[in-house]
Amino acid sequence: MATFQSLPGFREFYPEDFSRRKHIFDLWRRTAHVFGFAEYDAPVLEPLELYKAKSGDEIEGQLFSFTDKGGREVALRPEMTPTVCRLVGAKANALKRPIKWFSIAEFYRYERMQKGRDRAFRQLNVDIFGEPGPEAEIELIAFLVQSFCAFGLTEQDFYVRLSDRNLWFYYLEALGLDESRVRAMLVAVDKHEKYGDDAFKAYQEQFGALDPDLKAKVLAFLQIKTFAALELTFASLNSDKLTARLVDWKKLLGGLEAMGLTRFIEVDLGVVRGLAYYTGFVFEAFDRKGELRALAGGGRYDDLVEKLGGPALPAVGFAIGDVTTALLLEQRGLAPVFVSAPDVYCVIGGEAGRKAAFADVQTLRAAGRRVDYPMKEVAFGKQFKLAADSGAKLALIYGEDELAKGVVKIRDLSDRTEHEVPRADVQAVVRDFFM
Ligand code: HAM
């Protein structure tokens, strides 16, 4: 008989896996709470049109898309950003600004599978709308850092690479490139880390041989690691745009420094982001050892709300993936150990014992205690082993002797001490034990 397997890249979450995932989501939510972000959700199936040309060629080629029974072209969402732009755009005037929203949701991309890349994965999406200045980036990068620190990770484990598409635009413009050349050069920059010089091929096919001086300048720009080096590079260019942009950089880096986060941040102009809609600062988080694919990515996308039919509304945000986050926690020994133990286990003798126990089981559970008992008749003696194996802290014993005396025996399973309490007092004694 054929065994049915899940589709490649679609994970199944057995309880142990689920508890790990829950741990990640719990800490993401806690971080969102302390940063004052409100949670939202949205449909998993969207009109295909939402992603066409807006997310970029790479994501478009990875869509799980089909025609529904009503003849609509639809796609499983590959990301949240276009959707959240639609949500915010539709109610922009009614929402108090800055709009600080987050969501935890599943996404689908038909990717070539590799470590850290699946076809269904979850992301924490965090976005701020209505704030044009780098104050929003400060808030978001602080959030991004804290979302990893919340698990016990430190600057030894991860870092954030900070870059700026505007800076590239203004710099390449100052070097004499027109807009189409700048865009093609940014595609080359995006690919350079992976492909080296081959990354310039497409540029050369489109615009002819690459001026060696230009190439040298681009490669030198990619090496920049400090704000001071940026200032030095621009000093001779006399570009007002670049000068003004450095003021934004100063504000952003200054804000992060004041928050004590400099140790997590690296200036790295090699990050330009593959998604089509980014317009300004962009950033990505990576593990320090460089063993994993990106942990998170984001940036500013000031035009997208308007392009999707809403008002002009500045926006910036990022998403963290659950797959690489889980791998990093595992590597660092920070994944939680799966524990599924009741607080209380009932040892039950015969029908009368069962009746007596059930009344307490129900009341204890209603009071929030986690209570377990053998569902079927099990020899009385064997139940003590079941109680110990369950990991419970207390055993409540409803044997014939106890019933005859009108008591319940309570055994502390950590030190095996026992005492009897009148049946009417069981609730209070258990409550006090767990206080
Ligand atoms: P992204 O860089 O495409 O950005 O994805 C963000 C993160 O999601 C990645 O760094 C990675 O951890 C995770 N991720 C992406 N694809 C996969 C995959 N196939 N398998 C496992 N994990 C994956 C965005 O999605 C933007 N919409 C983020 C954003 C929010 N920009 C502004 N707001």
Side-chain angles (χ1 to χ4, degrees), residues 59 78-81 109 111 116-119 121 123 125-127 273 275 277-278 294-299 301 317-321 323-324:
I59 282 207
E79 58 158 338
M80 193 59 106
T81 312
R109 296 183 193 176
E111 293 217 43
R117 280 286 177 274
D118 280 333
R119 290 182 178 161
F121 56 95
Q123 285 181 343
N125 272 265
V126 184
D127 294 271
R273 304 277 294 143
L275 290 159
Y277 45 67
Y278 290 111
L295 298 165
Y301 50 101
F318 67 82
I320 309 180
V323 183
T324 34

PDB file of all heavy atoms in Angstrom, residues 59 78-81 109 111 116-119 121 123 125-127 273 275 277-278 294-299 301 317-321 323-324, ligand 1:
ATOM      1  N   ILE A  59      10.641  36.357  -6.516  1.00  0.00           N
ATOM      2  CA  ILE A  59       9.475  35.821  -5.793  1.00  0.00           C
ATOM      3  C   ILE A  59       8.376  35.435  -6.768  1.00  0.00           C
ATOM      4  O   ILE A  59       7.699  34.422  -6.593  1.00  0.00           O
ATOM      5  CB  ILE A  59       8.956  36.840  -4.742  1.00  0.00           C
ATOM      6  CG1 ILE A  59       9.857  36.806  -3.521  1.00  0.00           C
ATOM      7  CG2 ILE A  59       7.530  36.555  -4.371  1.00  0.00           C
ATOM      8  CD1 ILE A  59       9.216  37.206  -2.230  1.00  0.00           C
ATOM      9  N   PRO A  78       3.442  34.635  -0.678  1.00  0.00           N
ATOM     10  CA  PRO A  78       4.864  34.333  -0.493  1.00  0.00           C
ATOM     11  C   PRO A  78       5.488  35.242   0.558  1.00  0.00           C
ATOM     12  O   PRO A  78       6.611  35.012   0.997  1.00  0.00           O
ATOM     13  CB  PRO A  78       5.463  34.642  -1.867  1.00  0.00           C
ATOM     14  CG  PRO A  78       4.589  35.733  -2.405  1.00  0.00           C
ATOM     15  CD  PRO A  78       3.210  35.531  -1.834  1.00  0.00           C
ATOM     16  N   GLU A  79       4.771  36.310   0.913  1.00  0.00           N
ATOM     17  CA  GLU A  79       5.261  37.282   1.890  1.00  0.00           C
ATOM     18  C   GLU A  79       4.065  38.116   2.341  1.00  0.00           C
ATOM     19  O   GLU A  79       2.989  38.038   1.751  1.00  0.00           O
ATOM     20  CB  GLU A  79       6.327  38.183   1.280  1.00  0.00           C
ATOM     21  CG  GLU A  79       5.846  38.961   0.055  1.00  0.00           C
ATOM     22  CD  GLU A  79       6.673  40.205  -0.238  1.00  0.00           C
ATOM     23  OE1 GLU A  79       7.328  40.705   0.687  1.00  0.00           O
ATOM     24  OE2 GLU A  79       6.638  40.666  -1.374  1.00  0.00           O
ATOM     25  N   MET A  80       4.249  38.914   3.391  1.00  0.00           N
ATOM     26  CA  MET A  80       3.134  39.678   3.951  1.00  0.00           C
ATOM     27  C   MET A  80       3.090  41.120   3.455  1.00  0.00           C
ATOM     28  O   MET A  80       2.044  41.770   3.512  1.00  0.00           O
ATOM     29  CB  MET A  80       3.247  39.667   5.483  1.00  0.00           C
ATOM     30  CG  MET A  80       2.014  40.157   6.208  1.00  0.00           C
ATOM     31  SD  MET A  80       0.543  39.178   5.807  1.00  0.00           S
ATOM     32  CE  MET A  80       0.334  38.237   7.321  1.00  0.00           C
ATOM     33  N   THR A  81       4.219  41.632   2.971  1.00  0.00           N
ATOM     34  CA  THR A  81       4.323  43.078   2.766  1.00  0.00           C
ATOM     35  C   THR A  81       3.236  43.668   1.851  1.00  0.00           C
ATOM     36  O   THR A  81       2.586  44.643   2.244  1.00  0.00           O
ATOM     37  CB  THR A  81       5.749  43.437   2.301  1.00  0.00           C
ATOM     38  OG1 THR A  81       6.673  42.776   3.173  1.00  0.00           O
ATOM     39  CG2 THR A  81       5.997  44.919   2.357  1.00  0.00           C
ATOM     40  N   ARG A 109       6.746  29.524  -0.801  1.00  0.00           N
ATOM     41  CA  ARG A 109       7.566  29.857  -1.969  1.00  0.00           C
ATOM     42  C   ARG A 109       8.093  28.559  -2.544  1.00  0.00           C
ATOM     43  O   ARG A 109       8.677  27.744  -1.811  1.00  0.00           O
ATOM     44  CB  ARG A 109       8.751  30.754  -1.577  1.00  0.00           C
ATOM     45  CG  ARG A 109       8.330  32.106  -1.039  1.00  0.00           C
ATOM     46  CD  ARG A 109       9.537  32.994  -0.740  1.00  0.00           C
ATOM     47  NE  ARG A 109       9.127  34.148   0.062  1.00  0.00           N
ATOM     48  CZ  ARG A 109       9.959  35.070   0.557  1.00  0.00           C
ATOM     49  NH1 ARG A 109      11.254  34.966   0.315  1.00  0.00           N
ATOM     50  NH2 ARG A 109       9.495  36.084   1.271  1.00  0.00           N
ATOM     51  N   GLU A 111      10.722  27.157  -3.706  1.00  0.00           N
ATOM     52  CA  GLU A 111      12.167  27.396  -3.772  1.00  0.00           C
ATOM     53  C   GLU A 111      12.908  26.098  -3.984  1.00  0.00           C
ATOM     54  O   GLU A 111      12.403  25.026  -3.660  1.00  0.00           O
ATOM     55  CB  GLU A 111      12.656  27.969  -2.436  1.00  0.00           C
ATOM     56  CG  GLU A 111      12.136  29.342  -2.145  1.00  0.00           C
ATOM     57  CD  GLU A 111      13.177  30.205  -1.460  1.00  0.00           C
ATOM     58  OE1 GLU A 111      14.348  30.166  -1.891  1.00  0.00           O
ATOM     59  OE2 GLU A 111      12.809  30.920  -0.522  1.00  0.00           O
ATOM     60  N   GLY A 116      17.732  25.491   5.757  1.00  0.00           N
ATOM     61  CA  GLY A 116      17.196  26.811   6.115  1.00  0.00           C
ATOM     62  C   GLY A 116      16.179  27.349   5.129  1.00  0.00           C
ATOM     63  O   GLY A 116      15.622  28.415   5.351  1.00  0.00           O
ATOM     64  N   ARG A 117      15.966  26.634   4.030  1.00  0.00           N
ATOM     65  CA  ARG A 117      14.977  27.074   3.041  1.00  0.00           C
ATOM     66  C   ARG A 117      13.960  25.972   2.807  1.00  0.00           C
ATOM     67  O   ARG A 117      14.312  24.877   2.385  1.00  0.00           O
ATOM     68  CB  ARG A 117      15.643  27.399   1.698  1.00  0.00           C
ATOM     69  CG  ARG A 117      16.296  28.757   1.661  1.00  0.00           C
ATOM     70  CD  ARG A 117      15.240  29.846   1.577  1.00  0.00           C
ATOM     71  NE  ARG A 117      15.820  31.183   1.613  1.00  0.00           N
ATOM     72  CZ  ARG A 117      16.119  31.863   2.712  1.00  0.00           C
ATOM     73  NH1 ARG A 117      15.923  31.340   3.892  1.00  0.00           N
ATOM     74  NH2 ARG A 117      16.614  33.082   2.641  1.00  0.00           N
ATOM     75  N   ASP A 118      12.697  26.263   3.116  1.00  0.00           N
ATOM     76  CA  ASP A 118      11.612  25.335   2.859  1.00  0.00           C
ATOM     77  C   ASP A 118      10.645  25.959   1.866  1.00  0.00           C
ATOM     78  O   ASP A 118      10.856  27.076   1.409  1.00  0.00           O
ATOM     79  CB  ASP A 118      10.872  25.031   4.169  1.00  0.00           C
ATOM     80  CG  ASP A 118      11.614  23.994   5.009  1.00  0.00           C
ATOM     81  OD1 ASP A 118      12.344  23.190   4.417  1.00  0.00           O
ATOM     82  OD2 ASP A 118      11.452  24.002   6.236  1.00  0.00           O
ATOM     83  N   ARG A 119       9.582  25.224   1.574  1.00  0.00           N
ATOM     84  CA  ARG A 119       8.568  25.801   0.678  1.00  0.00           C
ATOM     85  C   ARG A 119       7.396  26.373   1.451  1.00  0.00           C
ATOM     86  O   ARG A 119       6.604  27.128   0.905  1.00  0.00           O
ATOM     87  CB  ARG A 119       8.122  24.752  -0.331  1.00  0.00           C
ATOM     88  CG  ARG A 119       9.265  24.481  -1.295  1.00  0.00           C
ATOM     89  CD  ARG A 119       8.929  23.504  -2.375  1.00  0.00           C
ATOM     90  NE  ARG A 119      10.089  23.368  -3.240  1.00  0.00           N
ATOM     91  CZ  ARG A 119      10.291  22.362  -4.064  1.00  0.00           C
ATOM     92  NH1 ARG A 119       9.388  21.402  -4.159  1.00  0.00           N
ATOM     93  NH2 ARG A 119      11.376  22.320  -4.809  1.00  0.00           N
ATOM     94  N   PHE A 121       6.978  28.192   5.278  1.00  0.00           N
ATOM     95  CA  PHE A 121       7.739  28.641   6.452  1.00  0.00           C
ATOM     96  C   PHE A 121       6.948  29.748   7.122  1.00  0.00           C
ATOM     97  O   PHE A 121       5.990  30.274   6.551  1.00  0.00           O
ATOM     98  CB  PHE A 121       9.122  29.158   6.017  1.00  0.00           C
ATOM     99  CG  PHE A 121       9.045  30.257   4.980  1.00  0.00           C
ATOM    100  CD1 PHE A 121       9.081  31.590   5.348  1.00  0.00           C
ATOM    101  CD2 PHE A 121       8.889  29.940   3.636  1.00  0.00           C
ATOM    102  CE1 PHE A 121       8.974  32.600   4.393  1.00  0.00           C
ATOM    103  CE2 PHE A 121       8.777  30.945   2.674  1.00  0.00           C
ATOM    104  CZ  PHE A 121       8.827  32.278   3.060  1.00  0.00           C
ATOM    105  N   GLN A 123       6.944  33.484   9.253  1.00  0.00           N
ATOM    106  CA  GLN A 123       7.693  34.723   9.493  1.00  0.00           C
ATOM    107  C   GLN A 123       6.993  35.545  10.566  1.00  0.00           C
ATOM    108  O   GLN A 123       5.764  35.562  10.651  1.00  0.00           O
ATOM    109  CB  GLN A 123       7.711  35.607   8.241  1.00  0.00           C
ATOM    110  CG  GLN A 123       8.617  35.195   7.120  1.00  0.00           C
ATOM    111  CD  GLN A 123       8.561  36.177   5.950  1.00  0.00           C
ATOM    112  OE1 GLN A 123       7.632  36.984   5.848  1.00  0.00           O
ATOM    113  NE2 GLN A 123       9.551  36.108   5.092  1.00  0.00           N
ATOM    114  N   ASN A 125       6.439  39.269  10.898  1.00  0.00           N
ATOM    115  CA  ASN A 125       6.541  40.515  10.132  1.00  0.00           C
ATOM    116  C   ASN A 125       6.287  41.690  11.060  1.00  0.00           C
ATOM    117  O   ASN A 125       5.320  41.688  11.821  1.00  0.00           O
ATOM    118  CB  ASN A 125       5.501  40.539   9.012  1.00  0.00           C
ATOM    119  CG  ASN A 125       6.036  39.900   7.743  1.00  0.00           C
ATOM    120  OD1 ASN A 125       6.545  40.575   6.852  1.00  0.00           O
ATOM    121  ND2 ASN A 125       5.949  38.574   7.683  1.00  0.00           N
ATOM    122  N   VAL A 126       7.160  42.678  10.976  1.00  0.00           N
ATOM    123  CA  VAL A 126       7.059  43.853  11.857  1.00  0.00           C
ATOM    124  C   VAL A 126       7.202  45.088  10.977  1.00  0.00           C
ATOM    125  O   VAL A 126       8.196  45.221  10.253  1.00  0.00           O
ATOM    126  CB  VAL A 126       8.196  43.830  12.898  1.00  0.00           C
ATOM    127  CG1 VAL A 126       8.045  44.988  13.869  1.00  0.00           C
ATOM    128  CG2 VAL A 126       8.222  42.512  13.656  1.00  0.00           C
ATOM    129  N   ASP A 127       6.217  45.967  11.007  1.00  0.00           N
ATOM    130  CA  ASP A 127       6.256  47.121  10.104  1.00  0.00           C
ATOM    131  C   ASP A 127       5.767  48.389  10.799  1.00  0.00           C
ATOM    132  O   ASP A 127       4.904  48.331  11.672  1.00  0.00           O
ATOM    133  CB  ASP A 127       5.378  46.856   8.882  1.00  0.00           C
ATOM    134  CG  ASP A 127       5.941  45.719   8.016  1.00  0.00           C
ATOM    135  OD1 ASP A 127       6.758  45.994   7.124  1.00  0.00           O
ATOM    136  OD2 ASP A 127       5.581  44.552   8.288  1.00  0.00           O
ATOM    137  N   ARG A 273      19.135  43.892  -1.084  1.00  0.00           N
ATOM    138  CA  ARG A 273      17.849  43.201  -1.033  1.00  0.00           C
ATOM    139  C   ARG A 273      17.284  42.906  -2.417  1.00  0.00           C
ATOM    140  O   ARG A 273      17.247  43.751  -3.292  1.00  0.00           O
ATOM    141  CB  ARG A 273      16.807  43.998  -0.232  1.00  0.00           C
ATOM    142  CG  ARG A 273      17.236  44.339   1.170  1.00  0.00           C
ATOM    143  CD  ARG A 273      17.012  43.224   2.142  1.00  0.00           C
ATOM    144  NE  ARG A 273      15.624  42.900   2.365  1.00  0.00           N
ATOM    145  CZ  ARG A 273      15.192  41.659   2.549  1.00  0.00           C
ATOM    146  NH1 ARG A 273      16.039  40.664   2.549  1.00  0.00           N
ATOM    147  NH2 ARG A 273      13.929  41.410   2.761  1.00  0.00           N
ATOM    148  N   LEU A 275      14.121  41.980  -3.135  1.00  0.00           N
ATOM    149  CA  LEU A 275      12.735  42.385  -3.366  1.00  0.00           C
ATOM    150  C   LEU A 275      12.691  43.768  -4.015  1.00  0.00           C
ATOM    151  O   LEU A 275      13.504  44.636  -3.705  1.00  0.00           O
ATOM    152  CB  LEU A 275      11.953  42.382  -2.045  1.00  0.00           C
ATOM    153  CG  LEU A 275      11.711  40.982  -1.485  1.00  0.00           C
ATOM    154  CD1 LEU A 275      11.411  41.004  -0.004  1.00  0.00           C
ATOM    155  CD2 LEU A 275      10.572  40.311  -2.237  1.00  0.00           C
ATOM    156  N   TYR A 277      10.638  46.358  -4.020  1.00  0.00           N
ATOM    157  CA  TYR A 277       9.979  47.587  -3.555  1.00  0.00           C
ATOM    158  C   TYR A 277      10.787  48.447  -2.586  1.00  0.00           C
ATOM    159  O   TYR A 277      10.330  49.497  -2.173  1.00  0.00           O
ATOM    160  CB  TYR A 277       8.626  47.245  -2.924  1.00  0.00           C
ATOM    161  CG  TYR A 277       8.631  46.055  -1.982  1.00  0.00           C
ATOM    162  CD1 TYR A 277       9.305  46.086  -0.770  1.00  0.00           C
ATOM    163  CD2 TYR A 277       7.936  44.889  -2.321  1.00  0.00           C
ATOM    164  CE1 TYR A 277       9.296  45.004   0.090  1.00  0.00           C
ATOM    165  CE2 TYR A 277       7.920  43.792  -1.463  1.00  0.00           C
ATOM    166  CZ  TYR A 277       8.598  43.857  -0.262  1.00  0.00           C
ATOM    167  OH  TYR A 277       8.585  42.784   0.589  1.00  0.00           O
ATOM    168  N   TYR A 278      11.985  48.023  -2.202  1.00  0.00           N
ATOM    169  CA  TYR A 278      12.711  48.791  -1.184  1.00  0.00           C
ATOM    170  C   TYR A 278      13.239  50.105  -1.726  1.00  0.00           C
ATOM    171  O   TYR A 278      13.684  50.188  -2.864  1.00  0.00           O
ATOM    172  CB  TYR A 278      13.861  47.959  -0.608  1.00  0.00           C
ATOM    173  CG  TYR A 278      13.358  46.811   0.239  1.00  0.00           C
ATOM    174  CD1 TYR A 278      13.504  45.498  -0.178  1.00  0.00           C
ATOM    175  CD2 TYR A 278      12.702  47.054   1.439  1.00  0.00           C
ATOM    176  CE1 TYR A 278      13.025  44.444   0.583  1.00  0.00           C
ATOM    177  CE2 TYR A 278      12.215  45.999   2.203  1.00  0.00           C
ATOM    178  CZ  TYR A 278      12.382  44.701   1.774  1.00  0.00           C
ATOM    179  OH  TYR A 278      11.893  43.678   2.534  1.00  0.00           O
ATOM    180  N   ALA A 294      20.041  33.791   5.561  1.00  0.00           N
ATOM    181  CA  ALA A 294      19.628  34.975   6.334  1.00  0.00           C
ATOM    182  C   ALA A 294      18.589  34.622   7.399  1.00  0.00           C
ATOM    183  O   ALA A 294      17.691  33.816   7.173  1.00  0.00           O
ATOM    184  CB  ALA A 294      19.071  36.027   5.393  1.00  0.00           C
ATOM    185  N   LEU A 295      18.759  35.235   8.571  1.00  0.00           N
ATOM    186  CA  LEU A 295      17.792  35.045   9.654  1.00  0.00           C
ATOM    187  C   LEU A 295      16.597  35.971   9.453  1.00  0.00           C
ATOM    188  O   LEU A 295      15.474  35.649   9.829  1.00  0.00           O
ATOM    189  CB  LEU A 295      18.432  35.404  10.999  1.00  0.00           C
ATOM    190  CG  LEU A 295      19.636  34.577  11.451  1.00  0.00           C
ATOM    191  CD1 LEU A 295      20.364  35.285  12.579  1.00  0.00           C
ATOM    192  CD2 LEU A 295      19.168  33.196  11.895  1.00  0.00           C
ATOM    193  N   ALA A 296      16.864  37.152   8.890  1.00  0.00           N
ATOM    194  CA  ALA A 296      15.808  38.162   8.758  1.00  0.00           C
ATOM    195  C   ALA A 296      16.219  39.167   7.698  1.00  0.00           C
ATOM    196  O   ALA A 296      17.402  39.299   7.387  1.00  0.00           O
ATOM    197  CB  ALA A 296      15.614  38.884  10.092  1.00  0.00           C
ATOM    198  N   GLY A 297      15.219  39.869   7.167  1.00  0.00           N
ATOM    199  CA  GLY A 297      15.542  40.905   6.191  1.00  0.00           C
ATOM    200  C   GLY A 297      14.441  41.942   6.141  1.00  0.00           C
ATOM    201  O   GLY A 297      13.279  41.639   6.442  1.00  0.00           O
ATOM    202  N   GLY A 298      14.815  43.156   5.769  1.00  0.00           N
ATOM    203  CA  GLY A 298      13.788  44.192   5.668  1.00  0.00           C
ATOM    204  C   GLY A 298      14.359  45.492   5.178  1.00  0.00           C
ATOM    205  O   GLY A 298      15.503  45.564   4.741  1.00  0.00           O
ATOM    206  N   GLY A 299      13.532  46.524   5.271  1.00  0.00           N
ATOM    207  CA  GLY A 299      13.978  47.835   4.835  1.00  0.00           C
ATOM    208  C   GLY A 299      12.796  48.761   4.598  1.00  0.00           C
ATOM    209  O   GLY A 299      11.651  48.420   4.899  1.00  0.00           O
ATOM    210  N   TYR A 301      10.158  50.924   2.373  1.00  0.00           N
ATOM    211  CA  TYR A 301       9.450  50.790   1.084  1.00  0.00           C
ATOM    212  C   TYR A 301       8.367  51.872   1.009  1.00  0.00           C
ATOM    213  O   TYR A 301       7.195  51.604   1.153  1.00  0.00           O
ATOM    214  CB  TYR A 301       8.874  49.379   0.925  1.00  0.00           C
ATOM    215  CG  TYR A 301       8.062  48.872   2.108  1.00  0.00           C
ATOM    216  CD1 TYR A 301       6.674  48.895   2.088  1.00  0.00           C
ATOM    217  CD2 TYR A 301       8.682  48.375   3.247  1.00  0.00           C
ATOM    218  CE1 TYR A 301       5.914  48.448   3.159  1.00  0.00           C
ATOM    219  CE2 TYR A 301       7.932  47.935   4.326  1.00  0.00           C
ATOM    220  CZ  TYR A 301       6.558  47.974   4.274  1.00  0.00           C
ATOM    221  OH  TYR A 301       5.811  47.544   5.344  1.00  0.00           O
ATOM    222  N   GLY A 317       9.918  48.039   7.379  1.00  0.00           N
ATOM    223  CA  GLY A 317       9.625  46.838   8.159  1.00  0.00           C
ATOM    224  C   GLY A 317      10.611  45.735   7.865  1.00  0.00           C
ATOM    225  O   GLY A 317      11.528  45.890   7.055  1.00  0.00           O
ATOM    226  N   PHE A 318      10.418  44.605   8.555  1.00  0.00           N
ATOM    227  CA  PHE A 318      11.283  43.448   8.311  1.00  0.00           C
ATOM    228  C   PHE A 318      10.517  42.179   8.630  1.00  0.00           C
ATOM    229  O   PHE A 318       9.424  42.227   9.229  1.00  0.00           O
ATOM    230  CB  PHE A 318      12.556  43.524   9.170  1.00  0.00           C
ATOM    231  CG  PHE A 318      12.315  43.382  10.649  1.00  0.00           C
ATOM    232  CD1 PHE A 318      12.165  42.132  11.229  1.00  0.00           C
ATOM    233  CD2 PHE A 318      12.212  44.495  11.468  1.00  0.00           C
ATOM    234  CE1 PHE A 318      11.924  41.992  12.598  1.00  0.00           C
ATOM    235  CE2 PHE A 318      11.971  44.369  12.835  1.00  0.00           C
ATOM    236  CZ  PHE A 318      11.832  43.111  13.397  1.00  0.00           C
ATOM    237  N   ALA A 319      11.090  41.063   8.226  1.00  0.00           N
ATOM    238  CA  ALA A 319      10.529  39.767   8.611  1.00  0.00           C
ATOM    239  C   ALA A 319      11.650  38.855   9.079  1.00  0.00           C
ATOM    240  O   ALA A 319      12.736  38.837   8.493  1.00  0.00           O
ATOM    241  CB  ALA A 319       9.787  39.138   7.435  1.00  0.00           C
ATOM    242  N   ILE A 320      11.369  38.098  10.150  1.00  0.00           N
ATOM    243  CA  ILE A 320      12.294  37.062  10.623  1.00  0.00           C
ATOM    244  C   ILE A 320      11.684  35.719  10.252  1.00  0.00           C
ATOM    245  O   ILE A 320      10.477  35.512  10.420  1.00  0.00           O
ATOM    246  CB  ILE A 320      12.454  37.090  12.162  1.00  0.00           C
ATOM    247  CG1 ILE A 320      12.778  38.493  12.658  1.00  0.00           C
ATOM    248  CG2 ILE A 320      13.523  36.096  12.606  1.00  0.00           C
ATOM    249  CD1 ILE A 320      12.952  38.571  14.176  1.00  0.00           C
ATOM    250  N   GLY A 321      12.509  34.797   9.755  1.00  0.00           N
ATOM    251  CA  GLY A 321      12.003  33.471   9.416  1.00  0.00           C
ATOM    252  C   GLY A 321      12.128  32.514  10.595  1.00  0.00           C
ATOM    253  O   GLY A 321      13.079  32.621  11.385  1.00  0.00           O
ATOM    254  N   VAL A 323      12.546  29.194  10.297  1.00  0.00           N
ATOM    255  CA  VAL A 323      13.384  28.030  10.009  1.00  0.00           C
ATOM    256  C   VAL A 323      14.826  28.284  10.462  1.00  0.00           C
ATOM    257  O   VAL A 323      15.404  27.502  11.219  1.00  0.00           O
ATOM    258  CB  VAL A 323      13.346  27.677   8.498  1.00  0.00           C
ATOM    259  CG1 VAL A 323      14.170  26.426   8.230  1.00  0.00           C
ATOM    260  CG2 VAL A 323      11.920  27.466   8.032  1.00  0.00           C
ATOM    261  N   THR A 324      15.394  29.399   9.999  1.00  0.00           N
ATOM    262  CA  THR A 324      16.780  29.686  10.390  1.00  0.00           C
ATOM    263  C   THR A 324      16.870  30.030  11.884  1.00  0.00           C
ATOM    264  O   THR A 324      17.857  29.691  12.531  1.00  0.00           O
ATOM    265  CB  THR A 324      17.378  30.834   9.541  1.00  0.00           C
ATOM    266  OG1 THR A 324      16.358  31.755   9.235  1.00  0.00           O
ATOM    267  CG2 THR A 324      17.990  30.307   8.269  1.00  0.00           C
TER     268      THR A 324
HETATM  269  P1  HAM B   1      12.675  38.053   2.799  1.00  0.00           P
HETATM  270  O1  HAM B   1      14.114  38.469   2.899  1.00  0.00           O
HETATM  271  O2  HAM B   1      12.220  37.481   1.514  1.00  0.00           O
HETATM  272  O3  HAM B   1      11.847  39.364   3.151  1.00  0.00           O
HETATM  273  O4  HAM B   1      12.335  37.044   3.959  1.00  0.00           O
HETATM  274  C1  HAM B   1      12.627  37.339   5.312  1.00  0.00           C
HETATM  275  C2  HAM B   1      13.121  36.094   6.023  1.00  0.00           C
HETATM  276  O5  HAM B   1      12.179  35.032   5.853  1.00  0.00           O
HETATM  277  C3  HAM B   1      14.427  35.521   5.466  1.00  0.00           C
HETATM  278  O6  HAM B   1      15.526  36.203   6.016  1.00  0.00           O
HETATM  279  C4  HAM B   1      14.346  34.077   5.916  1.00  0.00           C
HETATM  280  O7  HAM B   1      14.731  33.939   7.276  1.00  0.00           O
HETATM  281  C5  HAM B   1      12.861  33.792   5.825  1.00  0.00           C
HETATM  282  N1  HAM B   1      12.562  33.069   4.568  1.00  0.00           N
HETATM  283  C6  HAM B   1      12.359  33.567   3.340  1.00  0.00           C
HETATM  284  N2  HAM B   1      12.157  32.584   2.442  1.00  0.00           N
HETATM  285  C7  HAM B   1      12.227  31.417   3.128  1.00  0.00           C
HETATM  286  C8  HAM B   1      12.106  30.030   2.792  1.00  0.00           C
HETATM  287  N3  HAM B   1      11.833  29.637   1.560  1.00  0.00           N
HETATM  288  N4  HAM B   1      12.263  29.101   3.769  1.00  0.00           N
HETATM  289  C9  HAM B   1      12.519  29.479   5.035  1.00  0.00           C
HETATM  290  N5  HAM B   1      12.635  30.765   5.427  1.00  0.00           N
HETATM  291  C10 HAM B   1      12.491  31.724   4.484  1.00  0.00           C
HETATM  292  C11 HAM B   1      10.490  39.436   3.085  1.00  0.00           C
HETATM  293  O8  HAM B   1       9.757  38.486   3.007  1.00  0.00           O
HETATM  294  C12 HAM B   1       9.949  40.846   3.247  1.00  0.00           C
HETATM  295  N6  HAM B   1       8.509  40.816   2.941  1.00  0.00           N
HETATM  296  C13 HAM B   1      10.241  41.355   4.652  1.00  0.00           C
HETATM  297  C14 HAM B   1       9.677  42.698   4.940  1.00  0.00           C
HETATM  298  C15 HAM B   1       8.693  42.991   5.838  1.00  0.00           C
HETATM  299  N7  HAM B   1      10.040  43.828   4.364  1.00  0.00           N
HETATM  300  C16 HAM B   1       9.337  44.815   4.866  1.00  0.00           C
HETATM  301  N8  HAM B   1       8.486  44.322   5.751  1.00  0.00           N
END
